[in-house]
Amino acid sequence: MARKNVVVRIKKKKAQEAERTGRLVAAREMYRELCAADAADAQTWFRAGTVHGRLGDLEAAVHCLRTATQLEPENAEMHVELGRVLQAAGRRAESVACYEAALRLRPECAEALQGLAELATVAGDHARALFHYRRALTLRPESSALHCQAGRAALLLGRETEALDHFRQAIAADPASVPALLDLAFALMSTGQLEEALSHCRHARELDPRAGKGWAGEARVLARMGDPGAAFTLLRPFLDAATSDPDIVLSLAEIADRFGCASDVAVLGERILTGGPHSCENTAQLRFALGALYDHLGRYDAAFDHYQAANALLRPPWHPETFERDVDALIEVFSPEALHRLPRATARSELPVFVIGMPRSGTTLVEQILAGHPQVHGAGELPDIPEIAAELTRTLGMSRPFPACVERLTANFAQNSARRYLEGLAARAPDDARRVIDKMPHNFLYLGLIALLMPGARVIHCQRDPLDTCLSCYFQNFGARHPYSHDLADLGRYYRAYLRLMAHWRAVLDMPLLEVRYEALVARQEEVSRSMIAFCALEWDARCLRFHENRGIVITASHEQVQRPLYASSVQRWRHYDRHLDPLRRALFDDP
């Protein structure tokens, strides 16, 4: 017996050495022999499962690790490893159960928290992901990787300030981390801090010249800064070399139509796509890019196929009935009687101009035209009004979220919120600005609250053909920010509810509201532009017609369009896709 134990120990050491030195096939065979010799040795089953997982044999890994956890059910590490393998195998519910079992055994298990966060991210539940990442960071505050993951989740939730803080902490923990530098650059780009974003991209490129993300990131920043020529010059060698780097191809796709290489870039994209495998997110990005390239090339059926496949990959759970009930609640809460009764802020300011409407309805174009006026500043899509609504819920509503908590609105809250908003608006603009534009399209959900807080504010409502609007949303990779945008029928129902809400606001609000039709703006640019400037009570300035020369930063999905003179090719664009639009038409126009 003693001799047998010695032999077993020797075999275990050999297996562990083979595993440690990367000779995984040899290690696997030795662990198999050991498991057969002693089926009650949990640690050997555990090591065997780990090796199987590293070799990509996930089913064998699951069998070994499940056996290990049955033999040692109180071992948190084994539950975590089984959770990882199940996660890699796409067995989400089982993986969640394993991570939760590990946390019951060891509440401070950062690996389990990270696993739960990653699973929540895949499911599109970025709020839950961020919650788990924050908990993991309390255990590992110096983890650069965890800070990056938390920052990405915060960015997807629109919490740019929090995201920037996480990315900066990631770099503080690991100054040479190329992923952290590029994450920070992307977040800075999304908030309009382009010079700093460019600096971080170049630093990342210096640290790892072979990484495509650094080159691609720098090119994207240059394009956002209004210099697509410099971006193309940077990437041209990769195009000539027929690169297989997806990041480079995605960046090239954004500017390809300007330089006559859309067909060449599409070939590269298709080659990468079929070469796989890729993550769900990367595949979706490639398909969105190919959709845009084929649209430019006039290959509309091929474009739609890619857009449809991309949206199917990213579609999160979204229930149109819930949104329709939310609109019902807004209409009920902001009734004429309630608006007459509820307290209002008294400080009157003409500084804010709210540009609202559906995404892709012309809001960015309107902002850029107005910002061409020397007394107007475009502040972009500000999160301030939704944050005030959330604060109202936390402060006054508690268990009654917005809009129900509006019934508890106090004069003090209205005054303080209005003051902070106006101070923030003024801080974002030059001292001589008489009007500052808040271009958050979805502020149409908060017009009742805006009316109570901002006496003197003006609202410009952008409208566009519903088929064009919804199709343009469908063709845009909004990710989790607009969960309704990944399905044509969902888009149609969202659009109908939005129209119903806007009809209510027109009927009950007494604030100045100007309707601007995208099609009219394209057809009669000067006439409509003059009407917008007059609505803002400003003198006409011809620079508003040269909006494409405005070097102000545009960080929304429309950044590329507003760097060119006005063009009409987006009017009735839906006709190219007519045969694919029946689900959208039914949702938009049929009786419910």
Side-chain angles (χ1 to χ4, degrees):
M1 179 64 71
R3 179 176 174 78
K4 181 179 179 182
N5 289 340
V6 170
V7 171
V8 168
R9 284 199 298 272
I10 291 172
K11 284 186 176 180
K12 283 185 178 179
K13 285 184 178 179
K14 286 183 177 179
Q16 290 163 4
E17 178 65 15
E19 182 183 354
R20 186 184 65 80
T21 57
R23 293 179 291 118
L24 299 181
V25 174
R28 179 186 64 190
E29 297 310 311
M30 285 185 270
Y31 281 131
R32 278 179 175 171
E33 291 178 13
L34 288 164
C35 288
D38 184 359
D41 187 343
Q43 281 297 322
T44 300
W45 283 106
F46 175 63
R47 298 300 341 148
T50 301
V51 169
H52 276 294
R54 290 174 66 186
L55 286 168
D57 190 350
L58 300 182
E59 287 308 311
V62 168
H63 169 70
C64 294
L65 291 167
R66 205 177 288 285
T67 303
T69 59
Q70 289 167 352
L71 291 167
E72 283 190 26
E74 302 302 309
N75 189 316
E77 183 184 6
M78 291 180 179
H79 286 286
V80 168
E81 191 62 29
L82 178 56
R84 284 175 177 157
V85 172
L86 288 164
Q87 180 179 346
R91 294 159 67 172
R92 181 178 179 276
E94 294 172 85
S95 180
V96 168
C98 289
Y99 291 137
E100 290 176 343
L103 287 169
R104 284 193 295 273
L105 294 166
R106 200 171 81 220
E108 73 285 0
C109 182
E111 296 88 352
L113 290 167
Q114 183 172 359
L116 287 172
E118 290 168 355
L119 288 166
T121 299
V122 170
D125 190 347
H126 301 293
R128 182 173 293 276
L130 184 57
F131 171 75
H132 289 307
Y133 283 132
R134 284 172 176 163
R135 288 179 64 195
L137 280 165
T138 63
L139 303 169
R140 294 186 177 174
E142 299 303 314
S143 170
S144 179
L146 278 174
H147 275 297
C148 281
Q149 289 172 307
R152 291 170 201 147
L155 201 60
L156 285 165
L157 291 166
R159 301 176 185 174
E160 288 88 356
T161 301
E162 183 177 351
L164 288 168
D165 181 60
H166 279 299
F167 294 140
R168 293 191 194 283
Q169 289 190 65
I171 293 169
D174 183 2
S177 170
V178 170
L181 286 165
L182 292 173
D183 279 336
L184 177 57
F186 180 79
L188 289 164
M189 184 169 64
S190 71
T191 56
Q193 300 173 69
L194 298 185
E195 291 290 348
E196 188 181 352
L198 188 64
S199 172
H200 289 301
C201 286
R202 287 174 173 166
H203 186 196
R205 197 152 61 77
E206 290 167 4
L207 289 169
D208 187 358
R210 295 172 298 174
K213 286 184 182 294
W215 296 86
E218 181 174 341
R220 281 198 174 95
V221 176
L222 288 168
R224 298 296 195 280
M225 296 174 84
D227 196 352
F232 186 66
T233 298
L234 190 70
L235 299 183
R236 179 64 185 265
F238 294 94
L239 178 63
D240 294 341
T243 182
S244 59
D245 188 301
D247 293 299
I248 297 289
V249 171
L250 287 169
S251 193
L252 274 167
E254 293 186 9
I255 55 176
D257 66 316
R258 287 194 175 215
F259 300 98
C261 59
S263 183
D264 294 334
V265 177
V267 170
L268 297 180
E270 292 283 10
R271 188 181 302 159
I272 293 169
L273 193 63
T274 56
H278 305 287
S279 69
C280 174
E281 182 180 351
N282 287 343
T283 301
Q285 288 177 330
L286 280 167
R287 287 195 178 278
F288 273 116
L290 284 163
L293 290 166
Y294 287 132
D295 178 82
H296 173 73
L297 293 167
R299 296 176 57 186
Y300 300 115
D301 286 343
F304 190 85
D305 287 345
H306 278 294
Y307 283 130
Q308 188 173 46
N311 279 295
L313 285 169
L314 296 182
R315 185 184 181 189
W318 186 76
H319 304 289
E321 300 85 358
T322 301
F323 180 67
E324 288 160 354
R325 286 195 295 270
D326 291 342
V327 168
D328 291 338
L330 285 164
I331 290 171
E332 180 180 355
V333 168
F334 290 101
S335 66
E337 297 77 19
L339 287 165
H340 179 73
R341 181 185 72 252
L342 287 167
R344 296 173 179 250
T346 56
R348 185 176 185 84
S349 172
E350 292 189 304
L351 189 66
V353 177
F354 294 92
V355 175
I356 62 162
M358 281 286 292
R360 314 298 291 164
S361 63
T363 55
T364 301
L365 176 59
V366 166
E367 180 192 39
Q368 288 299 103
I369 289 171
L370 291 172
H373 195 287
Q375 295 177 311
V376 178
H377 177 72
E381 297 184 359
L382 303 181
D384 300 35
I385 295 298
E387 287 175 0
I388 290 172
E391 184 185 358
L392 180 62
T393 297
R394 291 191 299 269
T395 305
L396 305 175
M398 293 179 288
S399 62
R400 307 189 69 197
F402 183 86
C405 59
V406 170
E407 296 173 1
R408 301 183 181 181
L409 180 68
T410 63
N412 186 57
F413 184 93
Q415 294 280 67
N416 289 336
S417 297
R419 175 182 51 78
R420 288 198 307 273
Y421 177 83
L422 292 170
E423 288 174 353
L425 211 60
R428 293 178 171 101
D431 291 340
D432 59 350
R434 293 179 57 195
R435 305 287 180 266
V436 180
I437 302 165
D438 182 339
K439 193 200 72 73
M440 178 62 78
H442 283 82
N443 275 339
F444 73 78
L445 294 166
Y446 303 99
L447 281 188
L449 182 62
I450 290 170
L452 297 175
L453 301 182
M454 307 290 163
R458 294 172 170 84
V459 177
I460 296 178
H461 175 213
C462 298
Q463 289 185 284
R464 183 184 177 192
D465 179 281
L467 290 172
D468 277 337
T469 302
C470 293
L471 193 65
S472 188
C473 289
Y474 190 66
F475 288 176
Q476 185 65 43
N477 184 5
F478 284 127
R481 290 175 298 152
H482 304 294
Y484 58 87
S485 68
H486 298 291
D487 180 83
L488 288 175
D490 287 348
L491 268 161
R493 290 185 65 173
Y494 188 97
Y495 193 95
R496 283 179 72 147
Y498 140 77
L499 285 183
R500 184 160 58 90
L501 182 59
M502 285 306 305
H504 173 72
W505 295 138
R506 289 189 203 95
V508 302
L509 299 182
D510 58 0
M511 59 198 312
L513 190 149
L514 177 69
E515 307 278 358
V516 173
R517 296 282 318 182
Y518 175 81
E519 294 80 6
L521 181 55
V522 169
R524 305 187 304 279
Q525 179 185 353
E526 181 169 352
E527 175 190 334
V528 177
S529 298
R530 282 180 175 273
S531 71
M532 293 192 299
I533 295 299
F535 175 74
C536 293
L538 298 171
E539 295 294 325
W540 171 248
D541 192 295
R543 281 171 284 189
C544 295
L545 298 178
R546 302 191 298 275
F547 64 90
H548 55 285
E549 298 174 2
N550 180 7
R551 290 302 174 191
I553 293 165
V554 179
I555 59 175
T556 66
S558 304
H559 68 90
E560 196 269 342
Q561 292 95 321
V562 297
Q563 290 173 354
R564 307 185 191 189
L566 205 58
Y567 54 89
S569 59
S570 292
V571 175
Q572 294 200 326
R573 183 187 185 193
W574 63 266
R575 293 187 181 279
H576 299 309
Y577 299 92
D578 187 45
R579 71 189 194 89
H580 302 287
L581 301 184
D582 284 348
L584 177 58
R585 281 197 190 84
R586 285 194 294 270
L588 279 171
F589 305 125
D590 289 357
D591 291 333

